[in-house]
Amino acid sequence: MRETYREQLESVTSDLVIMAQIVRGAVRDSTRALLQADDAIAERVISGDEELDRMSEEVEHRCFSLLSLQAPVAGELRIVVSALRMAAELARMGDLAVHVAKVARLRYPDIAVPESLRGNFERMASISEQMVETAGRTLQSRDVEMAEQLQHNDEEMDDLRRSQFRLMLGDSWTHGVEAAVDCALLGRYYERISDHAVSMGARVVYLVTGEAPAGASHWP
Amino acid sequence: MRETYREQLESVTSDLVIMAQIVRGAVRDSTRALLQADDAIAERVISGDEELDRMSEEVEHRCFSLLSLQAPVAGELRIVVSALRMAAELARMGDLAVHVAKVARLRYPDIAVPESLRGNFERMASISEQMVETAGRTLQSRDVEMAEQLQHNDEEMDDLRRSQFRLMLGDSWTHGVEAAVDCALLGRYYERISDHAVSMGARVVYLVTGEAPAGASHWP
């Protein structure tokens, strides 16, 4: 049975929403692998990433075929153009969760994050996970206000990152170079996941209103 | 004077080629700022990034207008869809050069990279710069063979990155946590710049042949 034009457009969006749910799960699982030194969960995140890559390619093909056969304009063209970008971003967010899982696997059975930074990473991971969920939900609901709020979560991420550096570079850091290098990169991975969630929020504002949101001089 | 359809398509490509040249300059300058502790050059890279963001948005608008008014198909649609992705990647590569420049600025008048890693970073930066140049040239020439070669440069980047970690985590590292954290993140930035150049190469193969290149299971 051939899908109608509208069904095709809707399935692009619903695939992206499913991708956001998978990414959210990958962020949650990679954090569990990291903070509980759980090798099996790390493996699951790493092997599960293929599915996200496959879905991202499928969304891209579907968008290409919509552009080619339906020549959408105005709001519908914005949906397709935004979907191309969001599919790439969601695949990238999945890669970043894989990076977290790989650090967990590398240090197993030790825990890569020292006790003194555990709370910081728990909070960072929880915000990232929540931001991915919000990005997915705003995409589904087209809620511009919720999409714009994603920018605020990002500020707390910046604060957490600054705290990490203060601790790692302070005199009380007794965990050596390896733990500091791990935590610097891990912090970077979570920060990038949240950057992409902010960028998805900006895309939702654009696809609904046709305008880039205030403060989004460019989208990471 | 109104541009013809063909002129519009060509100016999308030529804008991307110019963006690649600007990114190449930003990579070169940020490396100079980093390895010579040159504050003025660091500032120039940081303030110059706006231009790349502006160009990226302009390419996106132009692509949107091409899709909307001309409804390109087949090879021409591939050009426009690839251009949307490449404009975002080039803006991102510029951001990464800014990250390098910011580390240089933060440590000024000191040099963030210890002498023992200087050669490694010189090589890494030189490969990144060259890969950006190749990505721009393949885009202009549509040379599929050259685009595919970008994957090989990437392997040397991986080797250089492994050497960095060996040195930083080895017993002979006497530069402390701060220098190690700086170098881990700097290495990551250069690595990501080269990843994006590989991805641009893959896009060129796709826009010429209509097929993803072998080994590019997905594009970073």
Side-chain angles (χ1 to χ4, degrees):
Chain A
M1 198 181 65
R2 214 164 159 276
E3 282 182 319
T4 64
Y5 173 40
R6 178 133 309 271
E7 283 167 349
Q8 284 175 32
L9 267 179
E10 277 165 12
S11 67
V12 163
T13 303
S14 62
D15 278 359
L16 290 172
V17 171
I18 293 169
M19 283 182 76
Q21 286 161 355
I22 296 175
V23 169
R24 189 201 167 187
V27 173
R28 187 190 51 226
D29 288 348
S30 63
T31 304
R32 199 181 301 168
L34 179 70
L35 296 179
Q36 298 172 15
D38 190 322
D39 203 24
I41 298 184
E43 286 301 337
R44 201 170 66 202
V45 174
I46 294 162
S47 62
D49 190 52
E50 252 178 45
E51 171 69 4
L52 273 174
D53 293 342
R54 199 193 51 71
M55 287 188 78
S56 172
E57 273 177 40
E58 204 173 290
V59 170
E60 186 169 334
H61 286 148
R62 210 184 269 270
C63 289
F64 192 89
S65 133
L66 272 165
L67 290 169
S68 185
L69 303 175
Q70 309 286 356
V73 292
E76 287 164 354
L77 179 54
R78 287 203 301 274
I79 293 176
V80 178
V81 168
S82 300
L84 282 167
R85 179 75 65 97
M86 287 197 270
E89 298 216 70
L90 285 160
R92 182 74 204 130
M93 290 153 97
D95 292 342
L96 289 160
V98 165
H99 288 325
V100 171
K102 283 186 173 169
V103 175
R105 187 175 67 175
L106 187 65
R107 301 302 170 213
Y108 177 85
D110 293 328
I111 299 181
V113 175
E115 199 54 37
S116 57
L117 270 178
R118 191 185 183 85
N120 180 299
F121 272 97
E122 276 168 351
R123 182 72 192 136
M124 219 181 196
S126 149
I127 296 176
S128 302
E129 196 190 318
Q130 189 194 316
M131 287 174 78
V132 175
E133 203 220 333
T134 305
R137 271 202 295 146
T138 56
L139 182 59
Q140 193 158 35
S141 65
R142 308 273 158 93
D143 184 330
V144 168
E145 219 170 294
M146 202 195 283
E148 279 175 338
Q149 274 171 9
L150 279 167
Q151 315 242 4
H152 301 296
N153 292 114
D154 206 37
E155 288 162 22
E156 193 181 345
M157 287 297 276
D158 289 346
D159 289 342
L160 286 164
R161 189 108 169 98
R162 272 191 289 271
S163 304
Q164 284 173 6
F165 280 110
R166 258 199 310 276
L167 204 79
M168 291 189 295
L169 305 182
D171 293 334
S172 62
W173 184 260
T174 55
H175 310 286
V177 168
E178 186 177 271
V181 164
D182 281 348
C183 289
L185 291 172
L186 287 164
R188 175 86 188 140
Y189 302 146
Y190 283 110
E191 188 183 37
R192 289 298 299 152
I193 291 170
S194 78
D195 287 345
H196 284 294
V198 172
S199 159
M200 284 183 63
R203 286 275 146 193
V204 170
V205 175
Y206 166 73
L207 76 81
V208 175
T209 66
E211 300 288 336
S217 70
H218 97 280
W219 303 332
Chain B
M1 198 181 66
R2 211 165 160 276
E3 281 184 318
T4 65
Y5 173 42
R6 178 133 307 274
E7 282 167 348
Q8 283 173 34
L9 266 179
E10 278 166 10
S11 66
V12 163
T13 302
S14 62
D15 278 359
L16 291 171
V17 171
I18 293 168
M19 284 183 76
Q21 286 162 353
I22 296 175
V23 168
R24 188 201 169 187
V27 173
R28 187 191 52 226
D29 288 348
S30 63
T31 304
R32 200 181 302 167
L34 179 70
L35 297 178
Q36 298 173 15
D38 191 323
D39 203 23
I41 298 184
E43 286 300 336
R44 200 171 68 203
V45 173
I46 294 162
S47 62
D49 191 50
E50 252 178 46
E51 170 70 4
L52 273 174
D53 292 342
R54 199 193 51 72
M55 287 189 78
S56 173
E57 273 177 41
E58 202 173 291
V59 169
E60 186 169 334
H61 286 149
R62 210 185 267 270
C63 288
F64 192 89
S65 134
L66 272 166
L67 290 169
S68 186
L69 302 174
Q70 309 285 356
V73 294
E76 286 164 353
L77 180 55
R78 287 203 301 274
I79 294 176
V80 178
V81 168
S82 300
L84 282 167
R85 179 75 66 98
M86 288 196 270
E89 299 216 70
L90 285 161
R92 182 77 205 129
M93 291 154 98
D95 292 342
L96 289 160
V98 165
H99 287 325
V100 172
K102 282 186 173 170
V103 175
R105 189 175 66 175
L106 187 66
R107 301 302 169 214
Y108 176 84
D110 294 329
I111 299 180
V113 174
E115 198 54 36
S116 57
L117 270 178
R118 191 183 184 86
N120 181 299
F121 271 97
E122 276 168 352
R123 183 71 191 136
M124 218 179 197
S126 147
I127 296 175
S128 302
E129 194 189 319
Q130 190 193 316
M131 287 173 79
V132 176
E133 202 219 334
T134 305
R137 271 203 293 145
T138 57
L139 182 59
Q140 191 158 36
S141 65
R142 309 273 158 92
D143 184 330
V144 168
E145 218 170 296
M146 201 195 283
E148 279 175 339
Q149 275 171 8
L150 278 166
Q151 315 244 4
H152 299 296
N153 293 114
D154 206 38
E155 287 162 24
E156 193 182 345
M157 286 298 276
D158 289 345
D159 289 341
L160 286 165
R161 188 106 169 101
R162 273 191 288 272
S163 304
Q164 284 173 6
F165 280 111
R166 257 200 310 279
L167 203 78
M168 291 189 297
L169 305 181
D171 292 334
S172 61
W173 184 260
T174 55
H175 310 285
V177 168
E178 185 177 272
V181 163
D182 281 349
C183 289
L185 291 171
L186 287 164
R188 175 87 188 141
Y189 302 145
Y190 284 110
E191 188 183 37
R192 289 298 300 153
I193 290 170
S194 79
D195 287 345
H196 284 294
V198 172
S199 160
M200 284 183 63
R203 286 276 146 191
V204 170
V205 174
Y206 165 74
L207 75 83
V208 175
T209 66
E211 299 288 334
S217 70
H218 96 280
W219 304 335

